[in-house]
Amino acid sequence: MPPQGNIADVVAHPVRLRILQAVGGRDLTTAQLRELMTDVPQATLYRHIAALVDVGVLAVASERRVRGTVERTYTLGEQMAHVEQSELATLSDDQLRASFLAFVGELLRTFEGSLSLGDLARSHLGFGTGAMYVDEDDLARIQQGFNELLAPYLEEVTGKQRVMLSTVLLPAE
């Protein structure tokens, strides 16, 4: 397991990214996570969940007894799978490449899965790239406004389609 204090190392693992994307915006039990991730052995899934809980990216929302065992329901923790700029600065180029590759791989897996939704996927799909000219203060204001804009859409609501929003900022050459 990665060191408990290094969120970037913990979150960068492909299985852990999948767990975080599954939980994002809702609470899921371990049984529900197993149903969503049938290709991951149960013991492996539990180890990855434990690593995410250890660094505060996942939190236990509730516990209940089920057939003599405790079933936990997980939610995103205080760290929210966000790697701070200061922590990114400590990663080597190879660690950054591996982290970004894991992110892109999970993005592609999510995209492939959404294609099974047919027309619904196309009506809720969008992607593109555009240039912006900013300094660090501009980025801070954009992030604050972005968070405020998204806040009303982060709770699960009956009748609304769950979508995944991924953002990437890359300095252009």
Side-chain angles (χ1 to χ4, degrees), residues 93-158:
D93 287 353
D94 285 342
Q95 288 172 314
L96 280 171
R97 277 187 198 93
S99 298
F100 190 73
L101 183 58
F103 169 79
V104 170
E106 181 57 22
L107 186 62
L108 182 57
R109 189 199 65 77
T110 303
F111 173 76
E112 289 293 336
S114 73
L115 293 178
S116 67
L117 299 173
D119 290 341
L120 180 62
R122 295 183 193 282
S123 68
H124 286 73
L125 176 70
F127 51 90
T129 300
M132 297 187 310
Y133 298 89
V134 298
D135 59 24
E136 288 182 17
D137 291 338
D138 295 331
L139 283 176
R141 279 191 301 279
I142 290 168
Q143 185 63 52
Q144 180 181 353
F146 197 59
N147 290 342
E148 290 170 5
L149 176 69
L150 294 179
Y153 307 104
L154 299 178
E155 298 287 326
E156 187 171 356
V157 175
T158 302

Side-chain angles (χ1 to χ4, degrees), residues 76-90:
L76 288 180
E78 290 182 20
Q79 294 291 347
M80 299 292 287
H82 179 78
V83 180
E84 295 293 332
Q85 197 65 36
S86 60
E87 193 170 353
L88 283 173
T90 68

Side-chain angles (χ1 to χ4, degrees), residues 25-36:
R26 57 189 174 169
D27 296 348
L28 294 177
T29 65
T30 49
Q32 290 169 318
L33 284 167
R34 282 196 321 268
E35 289 173 17
L36 293 170

